[in-house]
Amino acid sequence: MSTVPIVMDIEASGFGKGSYPIEVGFSLRHGEGWCTLIRPEQDWVHWDSQAAQVHKIPRELLLERGRSAALVAAQLNQQLDSCTVYTDCWGQDYVWLARLFDAAGCSPRFRLADLREIISPQQAELWHTTRLQVEHELAITRHRASNDARVLQLTWLRTLDASRVLH
């Protein structure tokens, strides 16, 4: 890969059947971030208290300040049109993104791909330590989708640079 990947992260109401996206964020090629809360649809009722302890986003805040699935889907399509967007939890994020776009009544105009597709074995060896360094340096205090996307993107960049130096 010759360009910096666009990285997306999705926070959700929980895991498994019935879970849904509550926040989506991404980091573009030059590090510009975008993030929004998603207002739950009427039939999106699953709420996992353990997941809520991680993301610390109260359901009430989603109902009060979240954007509709239709608006979020339109904004994602506008900003990511024709791009490949990478995620570190492809299996889960793909399902949550599909649920968002299904509720919006449209399809994504971008491709969601697994970040592992563009991580070399050399990068993989350096990943965990580098990610911890990036998280420490950024001193992020809130577990939010755009923050997580930026950490992943910077980790990818640094491990790419480091693997080139080592090999």
Side-chain angles (χ1 to χ4, degrees):
M1 165 162 259
S2 59
T3 61
V4 176
I6 298 170
V7 180
M8 176 182 282
D9 188 62
I10 299 175
E11 298 298 328
S13 66
F15 297 99
K17 189 173 174 70
S19 65
Y20 52 88
I22 63 168
E23 183 182 52
V24 61
F26 55 80
S27 185
L28 294 173
R29 289 191 170 94
H30 297 287
E32 315 92 311
W34 182 87
C35 195
T36 189
L37 297 173
I38 303 165
R39 186 175 56 245
E41 296 289 308
Q42 292 286 25
D43 61 338
W44 293 4
V45 294
H46 177 272
W47 193 256
D48 183 322
S49 59
Q50 287 181 319
Q53 288 177 357
V54 174
H55 59 64
K56 295 182 177 34
I57 302 171
R59 185 169 162 78
E60 296 75 31
L61 182 64
L62 300 172
L63 295 170
E64 180 183 310
R65 296 196 186 153
R67 295 178 178 160
S68 70
L71 178 57
V72 173
Q75 290 175 321
L76 288 171
N77 275 340
Q78 177 187 5
Q79 296 184 68
L80 302 172
D81 192 20
S82 302
C83 292
T84 297
V85 179
Y86 294 91
T87 179
D88 70 334
C89 293
W90 184 86
Q92 293 169 329
D93 289 348
Y94 183 85
V95 171
W96 292 325
L97 199 63
R99 190 147 193 204
L100 173 75
F101 276 88
D102 185 52
C106 63
S107 298
R109 293 195 316 254
F110 57 93
R111 176 179 170 258
L112 190 67
D114 192 329
L115 188 60
R116 286 176 282 208
E117 291 178 14
I118 58 168
I119 296 175
S120 71
Q122 295 82 10
Q123 283 178 277
E125 290 175 22
L126 304 167
W127 193 268
H128 180 71
T129 303
T130 305
R131 182 175 177 161
L132 291 175
Q133 288 172 337
V134 168
E135 288 172 347
H136 176 73
E137 289 170 20
L138 294 179
I140 295 171
T141 57
R142 295 185 339 161
H143 179 82
R144 299 306 286 263
S146 57
N147 290 342
D148 291 352
R150 184 66 178 148
V151 166
L152 290 168
Q153 186 182 58
L154 286 172
T155 301
W156 184 87
L157 279 166
R158 289 196 188 169
T159 57
L160 179 68
D161 290 345
S163 67
R164 288 177 175 166
V165 170
L166 294 174
H167 295 95

